[in-house]
Amino acid sequence: HAEAGSSFHLKRDSNWVRPAQPLQNLASSKGVETGSSEPEALPAAYFEKWGRNGKSKKRYVLFDEGLQAILWKNKPSDRSAVGVLPLSSIQDIVIGVQTPVLNKVAKLAKLDPDRVLSVVADQRTLDLQAETVEQQVLWVSGLKLRYGALVKKRGFAAAEAPVLPKELARKVKAYTAPYRSSLCSLRNTCEKLQAITSYSDTFKAVVELAGKPPVVCHGCGNVLMMEANFCKHCGRPTFVSTNTRNVEELQAVHIS
């Protein structure tokens, strides 16, 4: 607590996203969907789009629910999009100046770090500046919800993603290596959540088939074959649990 009369300044964390409602289906720390409800419609809006040349252009950005892709146009009435970014190619969604494109323009007066967001894909980034912080939060939360739902439904296989029409597929561009980003926290989090779900299913199946507590590794919590003497995951001797630990505890050990 600050003493009376003292002054202090709070610096906004670049990874922080102010909660927007409804976000009950977001994982508490990463903003990834864990529930089964469909996310609300994400309203199209104007953004300043920053490019590799260090300049920005006003673009009308929308999310196509059918194609599961982000599209941007010059204006709403345009029939064709200027660019497109498939949701399946995304690795991370971040706020603040964190990508090579935004680092290049970080000192420009026109750039507002508190209103920018970057959609990081495997071959490029989409760097946008919202008109308000509320708009930024809404889009970051909405895109994370949709990414989590897509992974939950289709997994990470690109072949399972919706196929773009040829005219749109030609608009998918790749950046050269210096302008790409290696950020992938969102994807890694979804992979862990998917592993937890798979592990939980395996655990329950073993219990149902055996009719008794499963054989688990005392060291890492890995579910073992009934006749196994050693854990293939960590090499420790097997441990038969007389009181089955709950799935959440085993999962926490498994992914730690």
Side-chain angles (χ1 to χ4, degrees):
H1 297 283
E3 296 181 358
S6 64
S7 61
F8 62 93
H9 176 70
L10 294 178
K11 183 179 180 180
R12 181 177 175 183
D13 187 345
S14 60
N15 290 317
W16 176 85
V17 178
R18 183 163 56 193
Q21 297 296 329
L23 296 182
Q24 291 85 352
N25 291 324
L26 290 179
S28 59
S29 62
K30 295 293 183 180
V32 181
E33 183 181 3
T34 57
S36 59
S37 60
E38 292 295 325
E40 291 189 354
L42 191 58
Y46 276 105
F47 289 84
E48 287 288 335
K49 177 185 173 297
W50 291 95
R52 290 167 288 177
N53 60 2
K55 299 180 180 179
S56 69
K57 294 182 179 180
K58 188 174 288 293
R59 297 299 191 199
Y60 185 73
V61 184
L62 63 145
F63 184 82
D64 191 302
E65 301 286 356
L67 296 175
Q68 289 291 288
I70 306 169
L71 284 71
W72 54 96
K73 306 177 178 181
N74 289 319
K75 55 184 183 295
S77 59
D78 288 352
R79 297 185 63 181
S80 60
V82 175
V84 59
L85 185 63
L87 193 64
S88 60
S89 68
I90 290 177
Q91 298 178 169
D92 213 346
I93 301 169
V94 298
I95 63 173
V97 179
Q98 298 195 53
T99 65
V101 169
L102 291 183
N103 280 323
K104 183 177 181 178
V105 298
K107 295 182 180 180
L108 296 182
K110 189 177 181 180
L111 180 77
D112 185 347
D114 287 335
R115 291 188 284 125
V116 295
L117 66 105
S118 297
V119 182
V120 181
D122 51 1
Q123 299 291 316
R124 64 163 297 162
T125 60
L126 175 60
D127 300 280
L128 305 171
Q129 180 167 305
E131 295 183 342
T132 64
V133 172
E134 289 72 23
Q135 179 183 329
Q136 175 213 49
V137 170
L138 179 63
W139 267 78
V140 170
S141 300
L143 289 175
K144 285 187 175 183
L145 278 169
R146 282 158 176 78
Y147 181 79
L150 180 67
V151 170
K152 182 177 180 180
K153 183 178 180 180
R154 302 177 184 272
F156 292 97
E160 297 295 328
V163 178
L164 294 174
K166 291 183 178 180
E167 62 272 16
L168 278 180
R170 289 194 291 266
K171 302 292 179 66
V172 178
K173 296 181 180 179
Y175 283 0
T176 55
Y179 290 100
R180 297 179 188 177
S181 173
S182 60
L183 295 172
C184 57
S185 178
L186 178 63
R187 182 181 178 91
N188 289 342
T189 299
C190 286
E191 287 178 341
K192 286 184 178 181
L193 290 175
Q194 200 172 50
I196 289 175
T197 302
S198 176
Y199 180 79
S200 176
D201 292 342
T202 301
F203 184 91
K204 291 176 181 178
V206 170
V207 173
E208 291 173 359
L209 289 174
K212 59 183 179 180
V215 179
V216 298
C217 176
H218 184 57
C220 68
N222 187 39
V223 177
L224 306 171
M225 298 298 292
M226 288 301 173
E227 304 301 325
N229 294 316
F230 295 92
C231 175
K232 291 184 178 180
H233 184 72
C234 70
R236 297 192 182 191
T238 59
F239 167 72
V240 180
S241 173
T242 55
N243 294 308
T244 306
R245 290 179 289 174
N246 62 57
V247 174
E248 288 78 11
E249 290 177 346
L250 287 173
Q251 290 168 352
V253 175
H254 185 63
I255 67 171
S256 60

